Amino acid sequence: MRSDSVKFGLERAPHRSLFKALGLTEEEINRPLVGIVNASSQIVPGHMHLDQITAAVKTGVAMAGGTPIEFPAIGVCDGIAMGHIGMHYSLPTRELIADSIEAMALAHGFDGLVLVPNCDKIVPGMLMAAARLNIPAIVVSGGPMLKGRSGDKEVSLTDMFEAVGAFKAGKIGEEELAELEDCSCPSCGSCSGMFTANSMNCLTEALGMVLPGNGTIPAVYSARIRLAKATGMRIMELVKKEIRPRAIMTAEAFHNALSVDMALGCSTNSMLHLAAIAYEAGVAFDLDKANAISAQTPNLCRLAPAGPHFVEDLYAAGGVPAVMKELSRKGLLKVDCLTVTGQNVGANIAAAENRDTTVIRPIDEPYAPTGGIAVLKGNLAPYGSVVKRSAVAEAMLRHEGPARVFDSEDNAVKAILAGEIQKGDVVVIRYEGPRGGPGMREMLMPTSVLAGMGLDAEVALITDGRFSGATRGASIGHVSPEAAEGGPIAFVQDGDMIAIDMNNGTLTLKVSAAELERRKAGWMPPPPKINQGYLARYARFVSSANEGAVLKI
């Protein structure tokens, strides 16, 4: 056992004395030591119940003959961090989470890990750590929030952000705004639509790193506690059989994750996070591969913000296994991939059933013949950009309009709220990338305000930053190379015509190459917005968005 390095032999007597100081008995010390990484905090609604989930995991570990030892992980609530300096820190915490788990796991000789995340950056950060460490590991998340209700309308956090724009446009009053504020987020858990947190929980299931049901069992259901106990028991089998994350997170597993991503219409942030996890797992990943899978994978689900359904509806319809079963009917999955169940994907989904074809379309009757996410390239984004095509109005799949250029999200939001953006405009927000942000802020505010004002089907947004999984409309993010690296987006000027074609995957700045070269003459990036502390170090080492915005030595 790995923990032998900290507990066996004469020279480890001092170590054993410290374990005994923790209250552990000889019997507990002699068992496999399993680290339980708990992201619980009192600031993130998706984490407020994780102590209960973690307690169930620990029960499962003990039932199966292991010694569970809990330690914490940090987490940022993207909703609370949205629209101010806090959002600069959200994506960079993914690396902090992975690094801290690496440090704790290796410093203390754990035999295995159970990772207990929820919400946007915590899930991928923990998966990155699992892939990097490559010791037996399994994930069980806190699960999705229940959908809210306002009168006879089902609502989520998206509606709350869009209500701000609706109020500014005079479409709703203070009373309706206050009612939405009270009912949009009715329970603990990750926000109820197919936003980034739930996207990553579902894709973790597609990768094979969780027990079936993890992606969709609601946070408040007792089935979630039973799942946590089963997860605690299961890690002991993984430890016993030395089944490691890199045996599960293979190239074929990432193929499955991308296929499920396209079928579900997940958050565009999944392109960042899957790339980062693949980097840690030593698996090649690029946006061209994602586009190739999108081209052959039908879009089967339209969950909020792309449609009327929520993650609890997906759970009732059969969850991720039912989606994967539909994909398997057309040979779109690698069914021989090993998973943490000890069985392959094919065995895991054999009994799955699509119980509601209004939520999960049959493979022969999809919403669209291609995936929910599209990668666009062109002279404005030579390395690529990403859009949630399934959440875009049909009329905006092809669009051409004049650029309205802003060097920060804050300035763009001010212009939108002031009514300065016109129908047909293409709003360009730059210097918000991984390096230029720094931290690649998630921009739910400008997109939701536009939607609330009724302009989401008539105005496009383009940025080297990123958009929330709760975003809908023609919102194109991850433009690479970013402005701070001298990418073409740095040289767009007000009035330049930009052509978007999501069907053919192109993003074109209608300016000649010669004119772009002229504009580049003497260009220097603006000074960093934050030049001290962690973000200054992050900006120095972070890679481009098309590579997952990972820290490279």
Side-chain angles (χ1 to χ4, degrees):
M1 291 190 294
R2 289 172 187 80
S3 60
D4 289 356
S5 64
V6 297
K7 65 187 185 184
F8 283 146
L10 176 65
E11 69 278 11
R12 295 296 182 255
H15 303 63
R16 291 193 296 274
S17 72
L18 291 169
F19 280 118
K20 291 178 178 178
L22 290 170
L24 297 182
T25 64
E26 291 280 358
E27 291 81 4
E28 289 173 303
I29 295 170
N30 290 335
R31 293 173 182 173
L33 303 183
V34 178
I36 316 296
V37 189
N38 181 7
S40 177
S41 75
Q42 295 182 342
I43 189 61
V44 185
H47 294 184
M48 61 185 285
H49 65 309
L50 291 189
D51 283 340
Q52 185 179 28
I53 302 298
T54 298
V57 170
K58 292 162 76 173
T59 297
V61 171
M63 287 167 61
T67 299
I69 301 177
E70 179 183 343
F71 64 90
I74 65 167
V76 165
C77 176
D78 277 23
I80 295 174
M82 194 73 63
H84 58 92
I85 191 173
M87 186 46 69
H88 288 284
Y89 286 89
S90 177
L91 180 61
T93 62
R94 188 188 67 183
E95 271 55 36
L96 285 176
I97 291 163
D99 290 351
S100 64
I101 293 171
E102 173 195 351
M104 291 293 289
L106 295 182
H108 300 103
F110 290 115
D111 296 299
L113 294 173
V114 180
L115 306 164
V116 188
N118 226 19
C119 302
D120 294 25
K121 310 311 166 303
I122 300 86
V123 178
M126 289 190 176
L127 285 170
M128 290 166 67
R132 183 188 303 174
L133 291 164
N134 201 32
I135 64 174
I138 188 171
V139 177
V140 59
S141 74
M145 182 184 290
L146 295 178
K147 57 191 171 187
R149 287 178 173 82
S150 176
D152 59 356
K153 183 183 178 184
E154 296 175 336
V155 296
S156 70
L157 183 64
T158 299
D159 298 277
M160 193 62 248
F161 273 95
E162 291 182 6
V164 175
F167 180 80
K168 294 290 290 187
K171 294 184 176 183
I172 63 172
E174 289 186 16
E175 186 175 328
E176 187 174 349
L177 183 67
E179 181 185 349
L180 280 169
E181 186 177 322
D182 288 341
C183 66
S184 292
C185 300
S187 75
C188 62
S190 47
C191 296
S192 56
M194 191 50 71
F195 313 146
T196 303
N198 289 323
S199 293
M200 292 311 302
N201 279 328
C202 288
L203 296 184
T204 304
E205 192 166 337
L207 279 172
M209 285 296 294
V210 294
L211 298 180
N214 179 80
T216 58
I217 297 172
V220 297
Y221 282 19
S222 296
R224 176 67 56 178
I225 297 173
R226 296 195 298 272
L227 182 75
K229 290 178 181 176
T231 299
M233 290 186 279
R234 187 64 207 162
I235 186 61
M236 298 310 298
E237 282 296 307
L238 298 177
V239 168
K240 179 181 178 181
K241 295 177 180 178
E242 269 292 302
I243 298 175
R244 305 184 188 190
R246 290 192 188 181
I248 295 169
M249 290 192 281
T250 61
E252 292 74 20
F254 280 94
H255 172 97
N256 288 346
L258 283 168
S259 297
V260 172
D261 195 340
M262 301 307 166
L264 286 175
C266 289
S267 164
T268 53
N269 285 316
S270 65
M271 293 296 99
L272 281 176
H273 299 323
L274 287 176
I277 299 162
Y279 172 78
E280 297 289 356
V283 172
F285 185 102
D286 59 52
L287 293 181
D288 289 335
K289 181 182 295 185
N291 236 14
I293 291 175
S294 180
Q296 67 181 19
T297 307
N299 179 218
L300 304 181
C301 300
R302 292 280 170 96
L303 281 74
H309 304 125
F310 296 83
V311 179
E312 66 181 272
D313 302 319
L314 179 61
Y315 170 64
V320 174
V323 175
M324 296 179 77
K325 185 71 170 285
E326 290 290 350
L327 292 173
S328 71
R329 298 185 198 281
K330 292 286 188 179
L332 297 174
L333 288 184
K334 309 292 186 182
V335 294
D336 293 330
C337 290
L338 178 67
T339 74
V340 292
T341 66
Q343 298 180 303
N344 64 24
V345 168
N348 286 351
I349 66 173
E353 178 185 354
N354 185 352
R355 296 192 289 265
D356 189 341
T357 56
T358 66
V359 177
I360 305 170
R361 288 278 185 93
I363 193 73
D364 292 320
E365 301 174 34
Y367 282 103
T370 54
I373 291 177
V375 175
L376 313 182
K377 287 189 173 183
N379 69 335
L380 186 52
Y383 298 166
S385 60
V386 183
V387 63
K388 188 168 184 171
R389 182 166 52 193
S390 60
V392 178
E394 184 74 23
M396 290 297 290
L397 293 175
R398 287 190 178 92
H399 179 75
E400 184 171 325
R404 294 294 313 279
V405 183
F406 302 92
D407 285 348
S408 72
E409 175 192 8
D410 310 87
N411 289 339
V413 170
K414 288 176 184 177
I416 293 168
L417 290 175
E420 297 173 8
I421 304 303
Q422 306 299 315
K423 294 179 180 180
D425 283 348
V426 177
V427 176
V428 176
I429 306 174
R430 62 192 179 194
Y431 296 108
E432 291 288 4
R435 182 170 297 174
M440 202 178 184
R441 283 197 287 181
E442 186 173 271
M443 301 182 202
L444 182 54
M445 188 64 74
T447 59
S448 58
V449 170
L450 280 173
M453 297 172 77
L455 291 173
D456 58 299
E458 296 174 290
V459 172
L461 291 97
I462 296 173
T463 183
D464 55 4
R466 60 196 178 91
F467 292 113
S468 167
T471 291
R472 62 186 174 97
S475 302
I476 301 165
H478 307 194
V479 169
S480 302
E482 63 175 292
E485 292 184 340
I489 192 172
F491 308 108
V492 181
Q493 295 181 357
D494 277 339
D496 287 346
M497 297 302 291
I498 295 175
I500 301 163
D501 189 337
M502 298 183 198
N503 293 324
N504 291 312
T506 59
L507 183 61
T508 307
L509 175 64
K510 292 199 161 183
V511 172
S512 70
E515 172 60 15
L516 278 178
E517 285 301 316
R518 186 192 67 77
R519 293 179 185 180
K520 291 178 183 179
W523 172 83
M524 290 289 290
K529 298 170 188 171
I530 299 174
N531 58 10
Q532 62 181 1
Y534 173 55
L535 287 183
R537 297 193 298 275
Y538 178 87
R540 183 175 178 183
F541 295 108
V542 70
S543 70
S544 181
N546 66 294
E547 296 180 317
V550 295
L551 296 183
K552 292 188 174 181
I553 299 172

